Amino acid sequence: MMRGMLAGSQTTLRNSATVTGIGVHSGSPVTLTLHPAEANTGIVFLRCGPDGQRDRELRADYRAVTATEFATVLGDDNGPAVSTTEHVLAALHALGIDNVTVEVDGPEVPIMDGSAEPFVAAIDLAGIAPLAAPRRCIKVLKPVRVGKNGSYAELRPHGRGLRIEAEIEFDHPLIGHQTFVIDVEPDSFRRELARARTFGFMRDVAKLWSAGYALGASFENTVVVAESRVLNAEGVRFSDEFVRHKAVDAIGDLALAGAPLIGAYRTVRGGHKLNHAMVTALMADRSAWDYVEMPEAGRRVRGHAEPAGGFAAPAYGPDVS
Ligand SMILES: [Zn+2]
């Protein structure tokens, strides 16, 4: 009941909630606090300045992306400010949180256990509050595709909400070819995706370390894949945890469009770079998308009528039942 009532309104958090951990790349301790924000604020990162330096505010927006190697980094004219934004953004996007300030006191969002679940738990702790403003979504109107050579992404129209179709192929006996398709809603995200962890290959570790990445990576926050087995004592959480995690990353990166997406996203052998290229290409083609308010309350968007019921049950209602 609450769900239907809230589906068309913007949301924020009822209270603040804090998580602490380390950055997977920096290895440094960091505290992240989710704060309520007013309607039409969107998702904003507040990077606290160390030792009296000024704080920096960064809208979670594809135009603020400064790097996509191994993580999605946001910054501004002064350089990168917050790294590894994707898992907290995935949790916020999937649970339908429109307005929030994400305060971090270090250069990187804490990796926690490598999944989005600790951020889901933080959102649950804070609670979700409706705001008296209609939710605005980005509706994909025609297919847009980026990539080449077997690594590509595509966004195409979809009846309602966000669908993710992820496909990976690794030349490794434990992973190989995996596909995962999901209609992203709070319940399905919690059940199918939130627990899927970051993964990495033992063979890449030395190279990553020497380049200054993955300095905080450990069995506590990464599924570590060796030649023929997973080295973590507890094994994997899903047999296809790898492709599920790619879906989590995609949801987080797609949040950088700045509003919930209504469309189907297919990513084949992709990653942060491809996700970012996809959002950039979509937003650049003004004929490929439009803003729609939710719910449409019986009115049609001119020029592209939906099949009956197309908007009847928006997928972004926060689940507070
Ligand atoms: Zn990830």
Side-chain angles (χ1 to χ4, degrees), residues 19-276:
V19 298
T20 58
I22 61 164
V24 70
H25 292 304
S26 63
S28 308
V30 59
T31 297
L32 176 147
T33 305
L34 302 172
H35 297 285
E38 289 175 12
N40 302 314
T41 303
I43 301 173
V44 173
F45 283 87
L46 180 65
R47 166 80 161 88
C48 294
D51 303 328
Q53 289 179 30
R54 69 178 183 82
D55 294 348
R56 291 161 74 187
E57 241 185 53
L58 301 124
R59 177 93 194 229
D61 185 294
Y62 66 100
R63 286 162 294 197
V65 170
T66 58
T68 53
E69 289 83 28
F70 313 114
T72 298
V73 183
L74 300 179
D76 54 23
D77 292 344
N78 297 312
V82 186
S83 179
T84 321
T85 55
E86 55 268 18
H87 305 155
V88 67
L89 285 177
L92 292 166
H93 192 180
L95 269 56
I97 314 299
D98 302 291
N99 304 289
V100 61
T101 300
V102 183
E103 180 185 345
V104 284
D105 69 353
E108 195 175 2
V109 170
I111 189 65
M112 310 309 291
D113 68 350
S115 80
E117 190 175 49
F119 302 110
V120 170
I123 292 165
D124 286 345
L125 193 67
I128 298 170
L131 294 168
R135 169 173 289 155
R136 194 172 71 157
C137 297
I138 293 170
K139 183 174 170 57
V140 178
L141 302 179
K142 67 178 194 189
V144 180
R145 186 170 160 140
V146 294
K148 56 185 174 182
N149 299 335
S151 171
Y152 67 92
E154 184 180 62
L155 264 170
R156 59 175 204 275
H158 183 58
R160 67 182 182 93
L162 174 64
R163 169 172 289 183
I164 300 286
E165 305 166 358
E167 187 172 335
I168 58 173
E169 186 149 16
F170 284 91
D171 181 19
H172 192 285
L174 277 185
I175 304 179
H177 184 238
Q178 297 187 342
T179 60
F180 195 80
V181 178
I182 188 166
D183 284 314
V184 182
E185 300 185 32
D187 287 347
S188 64
F189 183 80
R190 288 167 189 275
R191 197 173 53 238
E192 308 289 346
L193 295 184
R195 297 179 65 244
R197 291 164 296 172
T198 305
F199 63 96
F201 296 93
M202 203 61 202
R203 64 189 180 210
D204 297 336
V205 166
K207 198 170 58 185
L208 285 167
W209 282 350
S210 64
Y213 293 104
L215 301 176
S218 74
F219 294 133
E220 305 292 310
N221 55 40
T222 305
V223 180
V224 182
V225 184
E227 287 304 312
S228 60
R229 63 192 180 98
V230 163
L231 297 183
N232 305 58
E234 75 279 15
V236 292
R237 292 176 173 177
F238 305 95
S239 60
D240 56 356
E241 186 166 3
F242 310 99
V243 71
R244 289 178 194 240
H245 188 78
K246 285 288 184 180
V248 171
D249 284 343
I251 294 165
D253 289 339
L254 291 178
L256 297 174
L261 275 175
I262 302 172
Y265 180 56
R266 179 171 170 79
T267 162
V268 177
R269 297 165 61 105
H272 300 301
K273 185 177 178 182
L274 197 64
N275 296 336
H276 176 56

